[in-house]
């Protein structure tokens, strides 16, 4: 079956509320994370460069004296061989680095470079790493020394950066959530205001929301509800008017009916008025004359409600006046008809039966 236009108006159009919220939050948070990632990357790269530079400087400071000592040893060896000059025994020497007890050895570059946990410095009390280049099965001296303490300084400055970026992402995410939530809730706030205005009796008011998805569906449903309430209110008012008309017509009809039934010797008079579902101007009447005669009048009025009751009241007055004179009945009815014809619009009529006892 084909849906009606009203049913099609209430179909979901546009993205759903959940989809719209997810899309907006994804775009906003993606922008925040890109900015935070770029900032964190730049700071981490800077910190890594600083650690790298510090490592090179410390390694150079440790290896430089070893290179100088190696150079001096080579020179002293040459001087001894060529000139018999012995080296100065009082000249201070640098402690050669030695592998640490239970040293861990790791290889790199297909075994060409080895890293060994080592002890160096005065008394070989300093822990560090000794990098050796291996060629032809032998280690090339002197080794490259790196203090183990550099590992502890590798993360210096990164924790505040990470904490700062994390705090920024949290605050930015909260701000974005507030903005997106406000954008999503704004149509709902407008709808709440519209419902409040409708609840105050302004059934002609319509929603001001222009959105898609469930919001527009809700707005259309509220507009339809307001229209239905307006129609129901109009129908209720019309029904109230009709009920008042029916009540008033009933009061007029009661006023038209006689309160007592006359007594006529030799006759048993009685009356019964059966109401129609909608009261009108139909009535019966007793006319009592001084000579003892009684006139029995029954009238049927076209129409129902207030118009029929009014015509019935008018017809009753004219007929009572003319028939109470006691003259020719036909002439009295003619005169009453002439008077009534001026007050009754075309299409309305009164039929009467009169019996004189």
């Amino acid at each position: 079956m084909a849906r009606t236009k009203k049913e099609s108006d209430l179909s979901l159009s546009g993205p759903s509320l959940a989809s719209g919220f997810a899309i907006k939050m994804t775009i906003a948070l993606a922008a925040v994370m890109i900015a935070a990632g770029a900032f964190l990357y730049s700071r981490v790269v800077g910190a890594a460069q600083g650690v790298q530079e510090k490592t090179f400087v410390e390694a150079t400071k440790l290896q430089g004296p070893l290179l100088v000592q190696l150079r001096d040893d080579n020179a002293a060896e040459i001087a001894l061989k060529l000139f018999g000059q012995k080296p100065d025994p009082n000249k201070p020497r640098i402690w050669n680095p030695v592998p640490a007890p239970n040293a861990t050895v790791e290889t790199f570059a297909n075994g060409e470079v080895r890293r060994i946990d080592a002890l160096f410095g005065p008394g070989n009390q300093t822990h560090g790493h000794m990098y050796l280049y291996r060629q032809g099965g032998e280690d090339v001296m002197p080794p490259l020394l790196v203090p183990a303490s550099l590992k502890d300084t590798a993360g210096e400055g990164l924790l505040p950066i990470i904490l700062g970026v994390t705090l920024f992402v949290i605050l930015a995410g909260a701000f974005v959530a507030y903005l997106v939530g406000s954008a999503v809730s704004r149509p709902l706030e407008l709808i709440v205001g519209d419902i409040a205005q409708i609840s105050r009796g302004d059934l002609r008011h319509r929603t001001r929301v222009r959105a898609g998805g469930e919001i527009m569906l809700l707005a259309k449903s509220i507009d339809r509800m307001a229209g239905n309430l307006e129609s129901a209110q109009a129908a209720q008012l019309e029904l109230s008017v009709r009920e008042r008309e029916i009540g008033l017509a009933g009061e007029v009809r009661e006023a038209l009916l006689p309160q007592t039934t006359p007594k006529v010797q030799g006759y048993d008079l009685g009356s019964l008025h059966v109401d129609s579902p909608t009261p009108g101007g139909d009535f019966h009447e007793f006319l009592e004359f001084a000579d003892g005669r009684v006139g029995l009048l029954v009238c049927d009025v076209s129409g129902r409600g207030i118009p029929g009751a009014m015509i019935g009241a008018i017809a009753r007055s004219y007929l009572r006046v003319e028939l109470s004179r006691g003259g020719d009945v036909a002439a009295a009815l003619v005169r009453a008809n002439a008077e009534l014809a001026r007050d009754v619009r075309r299409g309305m009529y009164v039929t009467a039966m009169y019996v004189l006892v």
Side-chain angles (χ1 to χ4, degrees):
M1 295 178 60
R3 295 191 301 174
T4 63
K5 186 177 185 300
K6 287 186 176 181
E7 290 175 342
S8 62
D9 288 344
L10 293 181
S11 60
L12 188 63
S13 61
S16 65
L17 187 61
S19 299
F21 183 81
I23 292 173
K24 291 179 181 179
M25 284 296 296
T26 300
I27 294 174
L29 290 179
V32 172
M33 292 305 298
I34 289 174
F39 174 78
L40 185 61
Y41 173 78
S42 64
R43 297 305 298 269
V44 169
V45 168
Q49 290 175 348
V51 172
Q52 184 184 52
E53 192 69 25
K54 189 174 182 179
T55 302
F56 291 158
V57 170
E58 292 294 328
T60 303
K61 286 171 58 180
L62 292 174
Q63 191 180 32
L66 289 176
L67 291 174
V68 172
Q69 180 170 277
L70 180 62
R71 182 196 64 186
D72 292 344
D73 289 344
N74 290 334
E77 184 179 355
I78 294 173
L80 179 62
K81 289 181 179 180
L82 295 179
F83 307 107
Q85 184 179 356
K86 295 182 179 181
D88 185 4
N90 296 322
K91 183 179 181 181
R93 293 187 60 81
I94 300 173
W95 289 69
N96 290 326
V98 295
N102 301 319
T104 301
V105 180
E106 294 188 23
T107 59
F108 305 94
N110 296 324
E112 293 182 354
V113 178
R114 293 191 305 159
R115 186 185 72 183
I116 304 174
D117 295 338
L119 299 174
F120 58 89
N124 285 339
Q125 299 297 318
T126 304
H127 290 268
H129 303 288
M130 181 168 56
Y131 291 86
L132 295 169
Y133 179 72
R134 195 171 184 83
Q135 186 177 32
E138 295 183 355
D139 295 329
V140 178
M141 301 300 289
L144 177 65
L145 297 177
V146 178
S149 60
L150 286 180
K151 280 192 173 182
D152 299 332
T153 62
E156 287 183 358
L158 290 181
L159 182 60
I161 294 174
I162 293 174
L163 292 178
V165 171
T166 302
L167 180 61
F168 168 76
V169 171
I170 292 174
L171 294 177
F175 180 70
V176 168
Y178 172 76
L179 293 180
V180 175
S182 298
V184 172
S185 63
R186 176 58 181 167
L188 294 176
E189 292 175 357
L190 293 176
I191 288 180
V192 170
D194 294 331
I195 293 176
Q197 188 165 347
I198 292 173
S199 67
R200 289 192 291 268
D202 186 7
L203 299 180
R204 294 182 179 272
H205 180 75
R206 295 297 179 264
T207 56
R208 298 161 292 170
V209 176
R210 297 294 177 266
E214 293 93 337
I215 299 295
M216 180 55 68
L217 182 62
L218 178 60
K220 290 180 179 179
S221 300
I222 292 173
D223 287 343
R224 174 171 293 185
M225 178 193 69
N228 293 338
L229 288 176
E230 184 180 7
S231 300
Q233 186 182 60
Q236 181 65 33
L237 291 175
E238 183 179 356
L239 180 60
S240 299
V241 171
R242 294 287 296 172
E243 289 177 347
R244 287 197 297 269
E245 289 182 355
I246 292 174
L248 183 57
E251 294 176 3
V252 173
R253 185 213 63 204
E254 292 294 332
L256 295 179
L257 297 178
Q259 302 301 315
T260 60
T261 301
K263 298 182 183 298
V264 180
Q265 187 177 1
Y267 294 90
D268 184 10
L269 300 181
S271 64
L272 174 65
H273 187 100
V274 181
D275 290 332
S276 64
T278 303
D282 302 341
F283 67 94
H284 66 274
E285 181 63 285
F286 298 108
L287 301 177
E288 299 185 58
F289 296 93
D291 58 2
R293 293 180 302 169
V294 175
L296 308 178
L297 178 62
V298 178
C299 283
D300 178 78
V301 179
S302 65
R304 289 289 179 264
I306 292 296
M310 292 180 62
I311 296 301
I314 295 173
R316 179 175 178 273
S317 299
Y318 288 154
L319 289 170
R320 281 179 60 87
V321 170
E322 296 298 335
L323 294 174
S324 295
R325 294 178 179 177
D328 182 61
V329 173
L333 291 177
V334 170
R335 291 192 300 271
N337 184 69
E339 295 292 335
L340 188 61
R342 292 197 301 266
D343 299 327
V344 176
R345 70 174 183 266
R346 185 176 181 84
M348 296 192 69
Y349 57 89
V350 178
T351 58
M353 181 182 70
Y354 182 64
V355 177
L356 187 60
V357 180

